[in-house]
């Protein structure tokens, strides 16, 4: 296998779109979620994010990266306005509709309607879920942190509710998202299903690993 | 498919380890990288992170989450000391060795030696790469941001070099990390290979999506 070496200078010299595609590939396989929000006028909104990251289990916190607000971003405005949003895992059955939700639709157009997905509401929670999704998370906005190096933001939310297929949760708490049908993405535009190699026991310095059963 | 609903109260009531496993599963499939660092005394160190996130392409910035420094963390100390680290994608051939690198070894023990992976050095860069890895990234530390809600940190680094299999880079910049053999992980301990569904064209409001060729 012939290895290629790129320096920072060579990366910077790539044409802008090539560089974006290349650098976006480097972080590895990514979670991919539809973010559901709603405006004060009741217009539902969907966007796609591939930067959701686990921040902590107690309190249960998740983060995602919001690009600089140099253009109107409905997701940004809706979260700032009412403090609620949802993450919805994407399945092979609707990954193309999900990808299409990244298109720039006018503010008064709901991406749900534009791409053919169904908004679903949970009592007492303003932001819409994606009915077609099998794993849905409701979050209350807690904090945004600006990354001054490039003007992006880390948005931090606290999990207030989760919906998932009951048989996918194992006795030790592991949620089998492969069984549930979640996809992963790479780069800017590639979607992948998965095949589990193994679950491994907790690593200890004085003990060999074993494969877990479930 | 019978759906289960969990509220924040029910999540909080789970036993600590069950909650950790459950909440860690919610963010979806994750990138998984070995982080290579070295101490001032020349002791190489490896740790595993599943929180690497793309932050920007120009400058090329990547982030990862560092847990609270309530115990000695060699990765934290080494990055703070010399400002350099590497990300190394994990392949099926060595995912068990990679997982084992998460065990708590004494400060003077190199995880490379303990788990059977090979340190590799690039001229002028202090931090070690993992020779067995097919996709290796050298980063200079730029900034750390504390997440006050739980004491974790977002570490931000700038990419200074990348090594990858030459034939995995496509004409538009996309790096085919599935072809390269990168694995993804879920929860705290599951590793998965992938199968690409498709690459999709850039989403535009006035145009249907197409599948890309490459």
């Amino acid at each position: 296998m012939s290895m290629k070496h790129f320096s920072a200078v060579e990366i910077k010299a790539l044409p802008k779109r090539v560089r974006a595609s290349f650098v976006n590939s480097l972080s590895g396989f990514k979670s991919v979620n539809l973010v559901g929000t709603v405006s004060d006028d009741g217009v539902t909104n969907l966007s796609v994010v591939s930067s959701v990251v686990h921040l902590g289990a107690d309190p249960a916190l998740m983060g995602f990266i919001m690009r600089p607000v140099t253009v109107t971003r409905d997701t940004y405005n809706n979260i700032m306005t009412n403090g609620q949003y949802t993450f919805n895992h994407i399945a092979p059955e609707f990954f193309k509709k999900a990808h299409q939700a990244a298109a720039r639709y006018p503010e008064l157009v709901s991406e749900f309607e534009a791409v053919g997905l169904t908004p679903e509401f949970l009592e007492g929670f303003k932001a819409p879920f994606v009915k077609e999704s099998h794993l849905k998370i409701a979050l209350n906005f807690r904090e945004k942190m600006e990354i001054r190096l490039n003007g992006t933001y880390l948005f931090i939310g606290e999990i207030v509710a989760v919906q998932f297929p009951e048989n996918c949760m194992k006795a030790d708490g592991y949620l089998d998202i492969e069984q549930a049908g979640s996809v992963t993405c790479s780069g800017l535009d590639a979607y992948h299903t998965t095949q589990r190699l193994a679950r491994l026991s907790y690593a200890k310095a004085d003990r060999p690993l074993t494969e877990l059963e479930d």
Side-chain angles (χ1 to χ4, degrees), chain A:
Chain A
M1 171 158 74
S2 169
M3 294 292 277
K4 177 95 181 162
H5 290 237
F6 264 176
S7 68
V9 173
E10 288 166 304
I11 294 171
K12 203 171 174 62
L14 293 171
K16 186 177 175 189
R17 288 187 174 207
V18 173
R19 183 175 59 231
S21 186
F22 178 75
V23 179
N24 269 280
S25 303
L26 295 178
S27 50
F29 288 103
K30 299 180 272 197
S31 71
V32 59
N33 280 273
L34 282 164
V35 183
T37 59
V38 66
S39 74
D40 263 4
D41 297 331
V43 181
T44 55
N45 185 274
L46 275 182
S47 60
V48 191
V49 297
S50 61
S51 56
V52 169
V53 66
H54 170 83
L55 292 177
D58 188 25
L61 300 175
M62 297 174 86
F64 76 101
I65 304 298
M66 174 80 73
R67 294 175 61 194
V69 191
T70 48
V71 295
T72 302
R73 296 199 187 279
D74 297 335
T75 301
Y76 181 99
N77 293 337
N78 292 346
I79 295 175
M80 288 297 100
T81 302
N82 58 48
Q84 299 194 332
Y85 53 108
T86 67
F87 288 150
N88 304 268
H89 283 213
I90 296 170
E93 294 73 27
F94 64 94
F95 80 101
K96 291 184 182 180
K97 291 178 178 177
H99 186 77
Q100 182 62 29
R104 186 166 300 286
Y105 291 102
E107 190 183 333
L108 294 178
V109 172
S110 168
E111 284 79 8
F112 280 99
E113 200 169 325
V115 308
L117 290 168
T118 315
E120 182 180 64
F121 293 90
L122 194 77
E123 201 179 343
F125 202 74
K126 284 180 196 163
F129 297 85
V130 177
K131 187 174 165 56
E132 289 80 357
S133 174
H134 51 279
L135 204 163
K136 315 171 201 197
I137 306 164
L139 298 114
N140 278 341
F141 172 74
R142 290 296 304 271
E143 192 180 344
K144 72 177 203 288
M145 295 170 66
E146 185 178 357
I147 296 166
R148 287 176 303 256
L149 288 164
N150 66 359
T152 56
Y153 296 92
L154 173 65
F155 268 61
I156 303 173
E158 185 165 350
I159 299 173
V160 293
V162 184
Q163 298 174 60
F164 56 94
E166 189 153 20
N167 62 353
C168 292
M169 184 172 172
K170 308 307 171 187
D172 66 354
Y174 175 69
L175 199 57
D176 189 338
I177 60 173
E178 179 172 291
Q179 182 186 341
S182 301
V183 302
T184 178
C185 75
S186 68
L188 291 169
D189 52 35
Y191 296 82
H192 312 251
T193 57
T194 62
Q195 178 70 44
R196 195 203 294 173
L197 291 163
R199 289 188 66 196
L200 300 177
S201 58
Y202 190 82
K204 300 282 247 176
D206 58 355
R207 190 188 305 175
L209 291 175
T210 56
E211 295 197 8
L212 304 183
E213 294 278 315
D214 208 0

